[in-house]
Amino acid sequence: VEALIDSVLVGVVLLNFMLLATSRLSALINVSALQGAVLGVLTVIVHGGLDARPLLLGAVAAGIKGFLIPGMLHRALRDAAIRREVEPLVGYVTSLLLGALATAGALAFAKSLPLAPEHAGSLLVPGSLATVMTGFLLLTTRRKAVTQVVGYLVLENGIFIMGLTLHAAMPLLVELGVLLDLLVGIFVIGIVINHIHREFSSLDVTRLDALRE
Amino acid sequence: MTVLLALVLVPLLFAALAFATASERWRPWLVPAGGAVHLALVALAVRGPTPPALGGWLAIDALSRLILPLLSVLFLICALYAPAYLRVRPERPNRVFCAGLLLFLGVMTLITESHHLGLMWVALELNTLASAPLLYFNHNPRSLEATWKYLMIGAVGIALALLGSFFLAYSALAAGLGTSLLFDDLVKQAPHLSREWLHGAFVLLFVGYGTKMGLAPMHTWKPDAYGEAPGLVGALLAGGLTTCAFLALLRFVQIASSAGETKFASELLVAAGLLSMALAGVFMARQRDFKRMLAYSSVEHMGILALGIGIGGLGTFGALLHVVNNALAKGVMFLSAGNIHRAFGSKTTDLVSGALRRVPISAALFLAGFFAVTGSPPFGPFVSEFTILRGAIESGSYGVAAAFLALLFVVFVGMGATVLAVVQGEPGGERSDFHDSPGTVLPIFALMGLVLLLGLWIPPELDALVRDAARFVAAAP
């Protein structure tokens, strides 16, 4: 099982790199959706059996991260008729290099943390930190509202992986945290994107620059 | 049903009532009504022995005994301002706004009462959600931009706080301890928590909840949000929301100091505190938008709070007293600034001058509030800031004390220039039919009176509350 978990996590990290290198908005959304769906499967694998609680958490997470939010983002793209490129503030090669640095940093940092015996040697913690950093990179170096939402989702994915290490011991904390955060993603971001679209007829956050020093 | 549960549910009930009320004219009065009932319940809860509710998830301790009455009083006074304010804004429907204000009160109460790591995080998340429609009250592109930044930065902060909470939980797991996430248990087992995870948790929680508090360099949402929100909302955010986030941070300072990591925590707090004050000083100089100026003033005061806690000892007492003074003084500033904004239809000093002539009472309160906020005697903030200064000198950190004094002076000069430009001179800008009226100035007088009172005389009951809270936070094993 541990080997399976690790290979899935390697897949998640590879998806991180794809997110950083993607130049088309719809592809970006699809990759983040795939990552979300993979995390749903990972929930069940980490638990190691087919119990109701992890199955439910995995299904709900995959449903929201893999289908619902990406669907909303795709609709926003279509309705707003915005340009299909990501238009990063930092080039793709630089993004990839920064992503690689962040991943290496996550590995090194996770090594210094003592793990509970059941997670010794697992990639869960470094995988989580690397994904959080990738989300952070996407958030800060991409200019469109849609890409910022994707960055936030990837950040959430990283936190979700961290939550998996705790789910067996403290299921309620993890479920509360993860599901509520997704709720924010859906309601607020969905609604605000809708309003931005109506007010500015564009989803480019660099247009949101009336307020600055 | 216990009082603690009722304290959360009553505002929610009033919010539902406000949402269901059809009359635009009568609905705003439900806000102070809800606030009054809440204050009565708070008096009951703080006085008597109040048993914990929901299996210890909700409880009242020395910290909440201090913060909860403060929030309730601030909310009630701001709520009394709401009907008069909404009457001068008949063009905006107020259904969502009134319900949102009451929802905000309920969620703030939940934060102060939560004694569970997860529940407190949920409450802060709900707080972000509840305040978004309040910020977006004006429904124009600028307020939308402010709301977007507020939500995006707030959501990232809250997400990092969740990661920090996971780290903290894992620090118990990695050390082979129990899985209780109640704060009392965490404080008790703090000395045995895994050190590395605890450090990581503290940094993440500091960044996460520090973002909600608006500490530099995570303060970037604040000028936009406070600049575009109605003055009433600014008062509740700068006095209420930031206080709640500070309370959350204090819970982790308490865990860190029980774990014997006081030094680690206080270095972080002092650095962020001084940086916040310095950045606020820089951006306040020649700031032409007086509402944005108030936002930077809020950044500065969050810095003062962090600094006081970081210094420890007398500094902790000073910081907790300053929470009270800051919340009340910010109420004065934001509400009077809101009146001046209404009277001139603008909030930059390019178009606003001579406020003392057009809205004399609001402008006088704005000026008095400025002296209070910048720590001039005889107002409350002077006493608390002086206490923090004494704390710094007593603990031997002369460098910190000198920097603190110098930064207070820089802020005073920078803020003074803008404030004087607003109140002095001949009235400029466009005329509006807004005038000082009892509904829009009496609540500010009430806040100003409290700020003045706290500068002249601290009631022994309040002194005892602050002392208990300071002892509670600093309690090392």
Side-chain angles (χ1 to χ4, degrees):
Chain A
V1 180
E2 263 146 44
L4 186 58
I5 295 175
D6 281 357
S7 43
V8 173
L9 283 167
V10 171
V12 169
V13 172
L14 285 178
L15 289 177
N16 286 342
F17 286 116
M18 274 178 75
L19 286 166
L20 288 172
T22 304
S23 63
R24 294 185 62 82
L25 271 180
S26 55
L28 187 78
I29 296 170
N30 289 337
V31 176
S32 78
L34 180 61
Q35 197 178 44
V38 168
L39 292 188
V41 179
L42 187 65
T43 312
V44 181
I45 303 176
V46 168
H47 187 76
L50 292 177
D51 289 326
R53 208 158 177 168
L55 264 179
L56 197 65
L57 176 67
V60 172
I64 299 177
K65 287 168 186 287
F67 297 96
L68 196 57
I69 297 181
M72 282 168 53
L73 290 177
H74 273 305
R75 228 192 61 195
L77 269 192
R78 218 179 22 248
D79 293 352
I82 42 184
R83 292 188 42 206
R84 301 297 179 197
E85 276 97 63
V86 170
E87 297 177 43
L89 300 170
V90 168
Y92 299 110
V93 179
T94 323
S95 300
L96 274 174
L97 278 176
L98 286 174
L101 264 175
T103 308
L107 272 169
F109 179 61
K111 242 192 195 134
S112 71
L113 294 170
L115 294 175
E118 60 266 36
H119 306 123
S122 151
L123 283 181
L124 278 169
V125 175
S128 152
L129 295 177
T131 310
V132 167
M133 301 292 283
T134 307
F136 215 76
L137 261 178
L138 284 173
L139 254 173
T140 46
T141 61
R142 304 292 189 263
R143 66 171 69 187
K144 285 184 172 154
V146 172
T147 30
Q148 290 193 341
V149 175
V150 171
Y152 177 70
L153 286 177
V154 174
L155 183 85
E156 288 285 280
N157 286 348
I159 296 172
F160 185 86
I161 302 174
M162 187 64 215
L164 292 181
T165 61
L166 288 167
H167 190 232
M170 310 162 190
L172 199 62
L173 173 73
V174 176
E175 285 155 13
L176 262 176
V178 166
L179 298 182
L180 199 82
D181 243 13
L182 289 175
L183 201 75
V184 175
I186 298 171
F187 276 94
V188 178
I189 296 175
I191 291 165
V192 173
I193 282 207
N194 213 347
H195 279 281
I196 294 183
H197 169 208
R198 253 187 282 161
E199 291 283 350
F200 296 92
S201 323
S202 145
L203 290 174
D204 183 344
V205 283
T206 48
R207 291 265 192 102
L208 297 178
D209 60 356
L211 306 175
R212 57 164 61 168
E213 296 304 334
Chain B
M1 192 167 68
T2 70
V3 186
L4 292 183
L5 211 54
L7 269 172
V8 178
L9 293 181
V10 162
L12 299 190
L13 194 73
F14 272 92
L17 211 59
F19 202 78
T21 305
S23 157
E24 289 279 316
R25 197 179 149 71
W26 292 111
R27 191 186 300 120
W29 288 101
L30 282 170
V31 182
V37 176
H38 185 265
L39 186 58
L41 283 173
V42 166
L44 207 65
V46 171
R47 194 149 325 142
T50 310
L54 300 178
W57 283 40
L58 293 184
I60 197 157
D61 57 20
L63 260 181
S64 20
R65 237 178 264 277
L66 172 69
I67 304 286
L68 200 52
L70 168 69
L71 293 178
S72 194
V73 167
L74 177 72
F75 183 86
L76 180 58
I77 297 178
C78 289
L80 286 167
Y81 175 89
Y85 171 76
L86 290 171
R87 207 164 323 126
V88 301
R89 302 294 309 275
E91 78 282 7
R92 295 287 327 138
N94 61 36
R95 181 188 298 266
V96 174
F97 189 73
C98 289
L101 284 174
L102 287 158
L103 193 64
F104 188 73
L105 175 65
V107 178
M108 282 201 302
T109 311
L110 185 60
I111 298 171
T112 36
E113 289 180 355
S114 340
H115 255 238
H116 183 275
L117 183 65
L119 182 63
M120 192 177 70
W121 178 84
V122 169
L124 267 144
E125 170 104 54
L126 290 177
N127 193 299
T128 310
L129 288 184
S131 39
L134 301 179
L135 279 178
Y136 191 38
F137 177 66
N138 287 321
H139 274 262
N140 55 28
R142 292 171 62 91
S143 69
L144 177 65
E145 177 180 345
T147 310
W148 169 257
K149 283 184 184 162
Y150 173 75
L151 279 175
M152 213 54 219
I153 298 171
V156 172
I158 281 287
L160 291 179
L162 178 63
L163 188 62
S165 302
F166 284 176
F167 268 47
L168 190 57
Y170 201 89
S171 74
L173 200 65
L177 297 169
T179 53
S180 167
L181 296 174
L182 294 176
F183 284 122
D184 298 339
D185 294 332
L186 283 169
V187 168
K188 249 179 250 147
Q189 35 173 256
H192 311 293
L193 294 173
S194 158
R195 261 328 112 94
E196 292 83 352
W197 285 96
L198 186 63
H199 282 179
F202 190 78
V203 172
L204 285 167
L205 288 162
F206 181 77
V207 172
Y209 290 138
T211 307
K212 292 291 306 170
M213 231 176 117
L215 277 173
M218 295 89 75
H219 68 285
T220 44
W221 56 273
K222 235 178 195 180
D224 299 342
Y226 290 6
E228 298 311 313
L232 168 63
V233 176
L236 286 175
L237 290 179
L241 166 68
T242 53
T243 303
C244 289
F246 180 59
L247 173 83
L249 198 59
L250 282 179
R251 301 237 178 255
F252 301 108
V253 171
Q254 194 194 5
I255 292 175
S257 55
S258 306
E261 296 286 346
T262 313
K263 190 165 172 289
F264 178 79
S266 55
E267 276 170 5
L268 207 57
L269 285 163
V270 168
L274 288 178
L275 180 66
S276 302
M277 291 183 74
L279 259 173
V282 169
F283 281 98
M284 245 191 259
R286 279 192 267 168
Q287 177 62 254
R288 294 208 303 274
D289 182 327
F290 58 82
K291 276 176 131 179
R292 289 177 79 88
M293 172 195 78
L294 291 185
Y296 285 112
S297 166
S298 176
V299 174
E300 178 218 349
H301 284 272
M302 290 305 115
I304 295 177
L305 293 183
L307 188 70
I309 297 294
I311 290 168
L314 200 53
T316 307
F317 176 85
L320 287 169
L321 187 60
H322 197 65
V323 170
V324 179
N325 285 323
N326 172 56
L328 299 172
K330 278 290 166 347
V332 173
M333 289 308 274
F334 274 99
L335 294 185
S336 55
N339 286 352
I340 296 173
H341 185 180
R342 280 296 123 213
F344 287 84
S346 164
K347 57 191 179 69
T348 76
T349 51
D350 301 338
L351 297 169
V352 178
S353 61
L356 271 173
R357 300 212 177 171
R358 190 168 295 173
V359 273
I361 305 178
S362 297
L365 285 165
F366 187 65
L367 190 61
F370 155 70
F371 282 114
V373 159
T374 47
S376 319
F379 299 106
F382 169 73
V383 179
S384 43
E385 285 172 15
F386 190 69
T387 311
I388 294 174
L389 183 69
R390 263 177 53 206
I393 294 172
E394 259 179 33
S395 69
S397 4
Y398 300 110
V400 172
F404 179 60
L405 265 186
L407 288 171
L408 282 179
F409 180 72
V410 168
V411 166
F412 181 83
V413 172
M415 201 170 165
T418 309
V419 169
L420 289 181
V422 168
V423 298
Q424 286 182 331
E426 289 296 315
E430 56 183 274
R431 246 194 186 294
S432 80
D433 46 8
F434 179 91
H435 292 289
D436 283 334
S437 67
T440 51
V441 298
L442 283 181
I444 315 180
F445 266 114
L447 288 168
M448 196 69 231
L450 288 174
V451 174
L452 183 62
L453 174 73
L454 290 180
L456 300 173
W457 174 69
I458 298 176
E461 293 84 6
L462 178 67
D463 187 65
L465 282 177
V466 176
R467 232 167 257 288
D468 285 347
R471 211 173 301 134
F472 180 73
V473 173

